[in-house]
Amino acid sequence: MGSSFYDTLEINRNATDADIKKAYRRLALKFHPSSNRDSESPEIFTQLGEAYDVLSDPRKKATYDKFGEEGLKGGIPPEYGSSGAWSSKYIYHGNPDKTFKQFFGGDNPFADFYTNDAPLQLGGLEPGVVKTQDAHIERDLHLSLDDLFHGCTKKIKISRRVMNEDGFTSSIKDKILTIDVKPGWKEGTRIVFHKEGDQGPNSIPADIVFIVREKSHLFFVRQQHDLIYKAHISLEMALTGFSVEVETLDDRLLTIPINDLVHPAYTKVVTGEGMPLSQDPSQRGSLIITFDIQFPERLSAERKLQIKQALAF
């Protein structure tokens, strides 16, 4: 190997960014200690990592081209400090595996190039090697009861690894996924985006699966297609009758008369005022009203007598 970073990667000083990537890919695979048992391969592999780390970064490369390795690592002279070149001292982190993983992507990128201890051809997969899809990725999608009642559109930004145009390297890019929430969707509904996971040279991207998680509501509890509403009433109201006012999720005010005697297990069912059915949003479940009866904390002797007399009839 030569003494300059260009010599290390076996390229000339006019090499393009694509040339630098191709050279590093070829040599890093060749001298990776996992595939090359030569005693010098670890040292060469480290040199390759440092050379690529410098030449793949435009600012580091510009400083190296102008001031050499001494200027890059020792700091450029003060008179050149305003030139816009790399001005701080460069120190390679010394972990060539880190450089290798950042280049190829993944926690074990070298595994992408070997199957059953047989190296793959650099042009792609060996004949007969079948790509397998990565395991699907699950994410919770938290939605309010109002979202699930009316339906809505949610846009979610994901970051994923995509292959670059050179077909060898990858980078992290953002993408917006759009979910059209349908009225009546329930807890546990799954929305699948096929092959939107990380891309790799020898694998099929994973599916991304969003799972609906319903947020709690201040007044309603959902039970399948029904809505449960708890009304707080006094003992007098429970025995003599009253009306319950309920503000619905579509901003209507229902006034519901209660003429029955209300006991602790009593419920009032109002059909057609629950959640829409996902398969037919024009149909809706029921509104079920339960009652929390507030008993008096104490009664005078006179009041107790009056109640006894009233209940005697």
Side-chain angles (χ1 to χ4, degrees):
M1 308 291 280
S3 59
S4 76
F5 291 144
Y6 290 100
D7 291 336
T8 298
L9 290 178
E10 300 179 1
I11 54 178
N12 59 47
R13 298 179 69 89
N14 296 322
T16 64
D17 185 59
D19 294 333
I20 294 170
K21 287 182 171 66
K22 290 179 182 178
Y24 174 74
R25 180 181 188 277
R26 176 177 60 85
L27 294 170
L29 288 172
K30 178 180 179 181
F31 289 100
H32 194 286
S34 295
S35 62
N36 193 315
R37 304 303 181 183
D38 191 293
S39 60
E40 295 183 358
S41 63
E43 180 182 353
I44 295 173
F45 186 62
T46 300
Q47 294 172 356
L48 290 168
E50 182 177 15
Y52 178 75
D53 189 61
V54 171
L55 298 183
S56 63
D57 186 301
R59 296 185 67 190
K60 296 174 188 174
K61 182 176 181 297
T63 302
Y64 177 72
D65 287 345
K66 188 169 185 177
F67 302 104
E69 188 171 350
E70 182 180 351
L72 179 70
K73 296 183 177 181
I76 62 175
E79 60 267 25
Y80 295 102
S82 61
S83 65
W86 188 270
S87 57
S88 58
K89 296 180 180 180
Y90 166 73
I91 300 175
Y92 183 53
H93 51 67
N95 185 351
D97 276 325
K98 178 180 178 181
T99 305
F100 188 80
K101 290 177 181 179
Q102 288 174 340
F103 181 88
F104 288 103
D107 292 333
N108 186 17
F110 200 72
D112 288 340
F113 300 92
Y114 285 81
T115 303
N116 298 326
D117 296 326
L120 301 181
Q121 297 174 356
L122 295 181
L125 286 165
E126 279 188 314
V129 177
V130 179
K131 286 187 177 183
T132 57
Q133 186 173 22
D134 295 336
H136 69 272
I137 302 166
E138 293 187 353
R139 295 288 183 268
D140 288 340
L141 177 64
H142 295 277
L143 298 172
S144 69
L145 196 57
D146 293 88
D147 290 335
L148 296 169
F149 181 89
H150 296 284
C152 62
T153 298
K154 296 291 184 181
K155 294 185 180 294
I156 301 173
K157 184 171 74 171
I158 63 169
S159 296
R160 61 176 188 155
R161 185 173 296 281
V162 299
M163 297 301 297
N164 296 328
E165 292 182 359
D166 59 19
F168 305 134
T169 62
S170 61
S171 55
I172 300 297
K173 292 187 178 179
D174 293 336
K175 182 173 183 177
I176 302 297
L177 301 180
T178 301
I179 299 176
D180 292 321
V181 178
K182 305 300 182 185
W185 275 6
K186 294 187 290 186
E187 172 92 7
T189 298
R190 299 167 70 89
I191 307 98
V192 181
F193 289 88
H194 296 286
K195 301 179 182 179
E196 291 292 356
D198 290 341
Q199 297 176 359
N202 298 321
S203 63
I204 300 171
D207 295 338
I208 297 180
V209 182
F210 290 94
I211 303 174
V212 171
R213 301 301 180 197
E214 185 178 292
K215 298 178 184 178
S216 60
H217 191 272
L218 187 60
F219 301 113
F220 297 108
V221 174
R222 183 178 183 177
Q223 191 175 82
Q224 297 296 325
H225 300 302
D226 298 332
L227 291 174
I228 314 299
Y229 178 86
K230 180 179 286 188
H232 299 274
I233 62 172
S234 66
L235 179 59
E236 176 190 353
M237 295 167 68
L239 298 175
T240 60
F242 57 99
S243 292
V244 177
E245 291 188 342
V246 180
E247 185 175 348
T248 65
L249 292 172
D250 52 357
D251 298 324
R252 292 177 295 115
L253 186 64
L254 301 179
T255 301
I256 303 158
I258 307 295
N259 298 316
D260 302 321
L261 290 176
V262 177
H263 52 81
Y266 176 85
T267 59
K268 179 70 173 180
V269 179
V270 184
T271 58
E273 292 295 347
M275 292 292 291
L277 278 61
S278 57
Q279 64 271 28
D280 183 5
S282 65
Q283 301 295 316
R284 290 170 58 177
S286 298
L287 170 65
I288 301 174
I289 304 175
T290 63
F291 298 90
D292 179 16
I293 304 171
Q294 305 296 314
F295 285 78
E297 294 183 1
R298 62 178 61 86
L299 289 171
S300 65
E302 182 181 359
R303 285 294 178 87
K304 290 180 180 180
L305 179 60
Q306 291 174 345
I307 291 174
K308 286 182 180 179
Q309 292 173 341
L311 295 178
F313 295 101

